[in-house]
Amino acid sequence: MSDAASMGRCTVVVGGQWGDEGKGKIVDVLAWEADIIARFQGGANAGHTVHVGEEEFIFHLIPSGILHPGKRCLMGNGVVLDPFQFFKEYDAAAARGVDPEGRVGVSLRAQLLLPYHRLLDRAREGTSPQKIGTTGRGIGPAYEDKVGRRGIRVVDLKDEARARSLLEEGLARARRRLAELGQADLEGSEECVGETLALRERLLTLATDVGLEIHRALKAGKMILMEGAQGTALDVDHGTYPYVTSSNTTAGGAAAGCGIGPTAITDILGVMKAYITRVGEGPLPTALPPDMDEKVRTLGAEFGATTGRPRRCGWFDGVLARYSARVNGLTGLAITKLDVLDTLPELSIATAYRMPEGVAEEFPADTGSLGKVEPVYEKLPGWEASTKDVRKLEDLPYHARSYLDRLQEITVTPITMVSVGTRRSQIIRVS
Ligand code: IMP
Ligand code: MG
């Protein structure tokens, strides 16, 4: 057997749509069985909401698994780590009785996201003719520095003098770019050199070789959960470019972003809402007409966890779902927020796109044409009954089961979980 064949399990959880599918809740449910929960991409653009009792927790950087005592939470090399946001979240979790001490690790190879990245992100969004509608958290500029081979990694903090000069160079470069963009106000980011160096030792005590830790844990038969952020249609390669985030949100990104071989991954769970939402710019083929959009947004409380922006709502997009199942290699599907549809008399699912060239069943690479497609809808009756207290698939209303069966057929992927509310207990597990 090869070295990659390990005894443990490694489950990757990815978003199958445009983010906000409810990955935070699904990871929270699965975290009971895991030993390590790791993030592999993105940064503080994520907003993972988890409800515990009457309390709501929103995590942007630290894996949602932190709510489970004793579990190790790691941030892989693929993450862009904002050290200020990170410690803010770390300390806030500690203040609310979640003890992160000794449980959180950050990759030595992770890139630092610094205050000037945030300024660049916002300045660019303000001036560019092609607005992406980013979260303004500095994600794009931080990944640009990474692939431009001028980024600063956690490991670079080890040598203080070198770290200082890298930070000063980074700031000077950002200042020139900001001036080009007509932005002179640095909003206090001049202090970021000193402030980052002040966090140096604290961050280094948490630094670890994430790939090695996961490898050893797998060898020891442990269970690893990899928590994706954003969703398939926001993947920098496979999403609706350029209206995407700057990382690989798809399952392939998990191996590269944590430093393990792809053969170590045993399960890939795609999370999809029973309908769809999108926040930020870019096409949403199955967008609802204004009155229905408003209705679903209210029923589903569809406002961004990071920015508070209203999310656009749409019918379940079977074309995107099938594409997601394929590019991620999904082994299972978690359908969330089924209860949001409880009161609707009739539902639609897009099964194909009508385009000028004809009817397409595959998700197009051309984002411009995606903005002009007319979805081919299949209509299904609503169940018009509450599903919130259902805990077994067989107890669901007949039409709710038919709806789920159809999603399963379209994606050719078995549904393993259905979420019917925000609480931890509001979940149906299909074995
Ligand atoms: P960025 O990741 O902040 O650069 O934003 C790029 C695009 O991804 C924008 O359309 C954002 O609204 C979207 N996006 C980023 N993070 C999330 C998320 O966690 N949920 C939903 N959309 C997101
Ligand atoms: Mg979110």
Side-chain angles (χ1 to χ4, degrees), residues 155-327:
V155 69
D156 294 323
L157 295 175
K158 283 195 171 174
D159 177 340
E160 187 171 2
R162 185 158 172 273
R164 180 183 295 279
S165 84
L166 287 172
L167 286 161
E168 280 167 355
E169 277 168 38
L171 181 61
R173 222 179 6 248
R175 194 175 266 168
R176 288 195 295 275
R177 276 300 286 140
L178 285 165
E180 277 167 29
L181 293 166
Q183 173 116 359
D185 183 7
L186 293 175
E187 290 174 38
S189 79
E190 303 98 311
E191 284 102 65
C192 87
V193 175
E195 284 171 357
T196 307
L197 291 174
L199 291 176
R200 195 177 73 91
E201 284 184 18
R202 194 175 178 203
L203 198 56
L204 285 173
T205 60
L206 305 179
T208 181
D209 186 327
V210 166
L212 185 61
E213 259 200 53
I214 295 178
H215 176 79
R216 285 189 176 146
L218 283 169
K219 290 248 138 203
K222 301 263 169 76
M223 173 164 171
I224 315 297
L225 198 56
M226 295 195 168
E227 174 177 343
Q230 293 84 48
T232 300
L234 288 171
D235 184 289
V236 67
D237 287 289
H238 306 291
T240 48
Y241 193 90
Y243 303 102
V244 292
T245 192
S246 299
S247 62
N248 283 119
T249 58
T250 44
C258 274
I260 57 158
T263 47
I265 296 169
T266 49
D267 308 270
I268 302 169
L269 182 63
V271 186
M272 299 186 195
K273 267 189 249 208
Y275 49 102
I276 206 162
T277 61
R278 176 163 204 178
V279 61
E281 303 302 313
L284 177 64
T286 60
L288 291 165
D291 54 328
M292 272 300 283
D293 178 53
E294 188 66 43
K295 184 169 181 182
V296 173
R297 181 162 41 254
T298 307
L299 287 169
E302 295 293 355
F303 295 89
T306 302
T307 57
R309 291 178 290 178
R311 297 173 183 149
R312 286 178 278 159
C313 302
W315 293 123
F316 188 89
D317 187 337
V319 182
L320 172 60
R322 205 161 40 224
Y323 175 69
S324 288
R326 172 164 64 81
V327 297

Side-chain angles (χ1 to χ4, degrees), residues 19-21 23 45-49 304-306 311:
D20 306 313
E21 299 91 350
K23 296 178 293 294
N45 49 348
H48 292 168
T49 311
T306 302
R311 297 173 183 149

